[in-house]
Amino acid sequence: MLSIRNIVKQYANHRALDDVSIEVEKGKIFGLLGPNGAGKTSLIRIINQITAPDAGEVYFDGEKLNPDHIGRIGYLPEERGLYKKMEIGEQMLYLAQLKGLSRTDAISRIKYWFEKMEMQSWWKKKVEDLSKGMQQKVQFVATVVHNPELIILDEPFSGFDPVNAEIIKDEILELNQKGATIIFSTHRMESVEQLCDSIALINKSHKILDGKVKDIRNSYRNNTFRVEYTGTLSAAVDNSIYDVIDDKQLEDSQQITVKLRDGVTSNNLLSQLIPQVQIHDFTEVVPSINDIFIQKVKTSSHE
Amino acid sequence: MNKILLIIKREYLSRVKKKTFLLMTFLVPGLIIGMITLVGVLTKTGGDESAKITVYDETGLFNGKFNDTKEIDFSEATRSFAEEKLLASVEGGGFLLYIPKNLEHGGKIDIYSRKRATFSVLGSIEDQVNETMREKMLKDAGIDAATLNKIKPDFSINTKELTDEGEKDSSAGATLIAGFAAAILIYISLFIYGAQVMRGVIEEKTNRIVEVVISSVKPFQLMMGKIIGIGLVGLTQFLLWIVLSSTLMAGAGRALMPKDAIKPKTEQSASQKKATEAMQASQQGPAMSMISAMETINFKYLFTNFLIYFLGGFMLYSALFAAVGSAVDNETETQQFMFPITMPLLFTYILSFSFIVNNPDSTLSFWLSIIPFTSPIAMMVRLPFGVPDWQLALSIVLLICGFIFTTWVAARIYRVGILMYGKKTSYKELAKWFMYKG
């Protein structure tokens, strides 16, 4: 769907993006992650053709990015805004027409969305009369009203209350089901980790990691398990197969986190434990994207 | 292109639909007409009360020579000089005019009063004194004043312009006023509508809507759409003003001025009659020549040029205003950038009334009316004096080049500026933005 190749964006005294390449598959949900100031917004602005890169190319659906693609992309910027004094309906109509919809198409699409989001009565209202949450809904509709194939959401859930955030999330997933490709950009990695098929991590204008969420997490598995049990683990257990990382006393059970030594499997561990204690929970500890990111940033800054 | 039209439409409609637009449309011509009427009425009726002047004449020459006017009542002194002086010194005591015995030999006439006499009162008295003295001196010299007055010549010069179409009547005065009015209107409206462009840009920036919009259109399209939309608002406003004022003027003219003076005045009410008489007495001459002069001005020529220079000047300056708007976060920060923009306008405005009007064909005037930054105002002042076609053409071509240039510069600053938040901008920063690629 989107192929970003060797993008460089240079501002006067800093380089916002340095040789960044990213592939976004069609119909997937993609997470563009990184701390504030990493260069996410710069990259998104390039995709939206708000700014042009100093080097590198972007391909949209196999074609080199050009102004015809603008109507096929929906963009919710991090800095939200609407005309305060303009009626909501009129405003939606204006924004939809700017995206290339005809007036009649725009009206029917807006009506569809207003009904779906239960905002039919807002048509004649002005933005300044709406609450912040309501404004966010309006803004979301403005982003998707022209039925874009690619939807880019910059910090999508900031400013939403949990109820509305859930509504928006469901709408996004539904759009994705219908075939739209979604790009989430956020610094709050845990918020989109479960949603995304693939991610790219950006830090200090460099892409430091990308791939399928599953693959990334798998590659960061390190044979660590967490066991919750009752009973006493006698010292007779062969200590040589694992190292205890953490040992915690819970309310009515014991929890240990262990890292298995090379060549030892979870079954070996279980066969050691089962005779001695009652096991309530046995999970592999897979690092979260957040953990991976922190780990990755630490190692890359050591280099 | 289609998108620019959408933007123009929004910018235009959102402003024209505002109540303030409607208010301005009616208020301004109303105010102008009101002011003209007020001035007319005030000059016709003069001051609210007439000045009472007691004449203490030691020469005896002026006995019965002073004629009461609309603003002055004369009376002979009946008491001694000291007593009259005392009377004049109290509040509301009127004026005491003292004419010394040695008037013919260098004596000075004094006027005593608590309240200072107005210029028109003084002027009127001086005229009458001079007239009386002139008659006396003529008589002393053996010349008959009546004969002299009879042979007093009364010529006025008609200005005839020699143009390619032959000679035509022109009136320097009336055209000059029209040119001045056009220059002032351009000066004011460049500020008003330029500031509107700037405020519009700041509004979009602080509302953060700008990023949504420019993900659909190019920043240049948004900027041009805004400038053109607001320019059209300005034009609409002017047209409405002109239509409204001329309708009101025509109405007022019909009410104030009888179609033909011979028509019996019996139909008129007493107050109207008084007004008409007063006007006929004092105003008719200049008013009539003014109206006939208005007809001789080539209004179409002046108006067409006014539109060209308003639009050209507006495009040129509003692009700069837009750039300023994009560089700041709120209106208070605009000050530092406004100065260089307003300087050339102010400079031309001042020079127009002090220099260009007296030296319309001097080198400085020529250059001021050619350079795009100053020509919209300077040319308007020069036009009534006649400007060669080649100069006009050169000035307009340069104006067009000028606004293309400023628009280009402004667009480069604008596209970066609108996405910069919370940063205090310096000129150095602007230059950097200008250099950015893409």
Side-chain angles (χ1 to χ4, degrees), chain B residues 107-175:
Chain B
K108 292 261 186 298
I109 301 178
D110 295 320
I111 189 158
Y112 298 94
S113 63
R114 173 110 189 164
K115 188 172 73 172
R116 192 194 278 242
T118 62
F119 280 112
S120 61
V121 167
L122 286 179
S124 175
I125 298 173
E126 273 173 14
D127 283 350
Q128 295 205 31
V129 170
N130 285 333
E131 184 63 26
T132 310
M133 287 308 288
R134 193 176 73 104
E135 267 173 42
K136 185 189 175 290
M137 283 157 140
L138 284 170
K139 213 159 128 197
D140 291 351
I143 301 163
D144 182 13
T147 325
L148 197 71
N149 279 342
K150 227 180 275 167
I151 57 170
K152 199 180 190 180
D154 182 22
F155 294 111
S156 65
I157 299 175
N158 275 327
T159 48
K160 299 261 185 194
E161 246 179 281
L162 291 172
T163 63
D164 294 341
E165 295 94 53
E167 70 182 59
K168 63 180 182 195
D169 285 336
S170 72
S171 168
T175 335

Side-chain angles (χ1 to χ4, degrees), chain B residues 150 321 373:
Chain B
K150 227 180 275 167
F321 276 110
F373 286 90

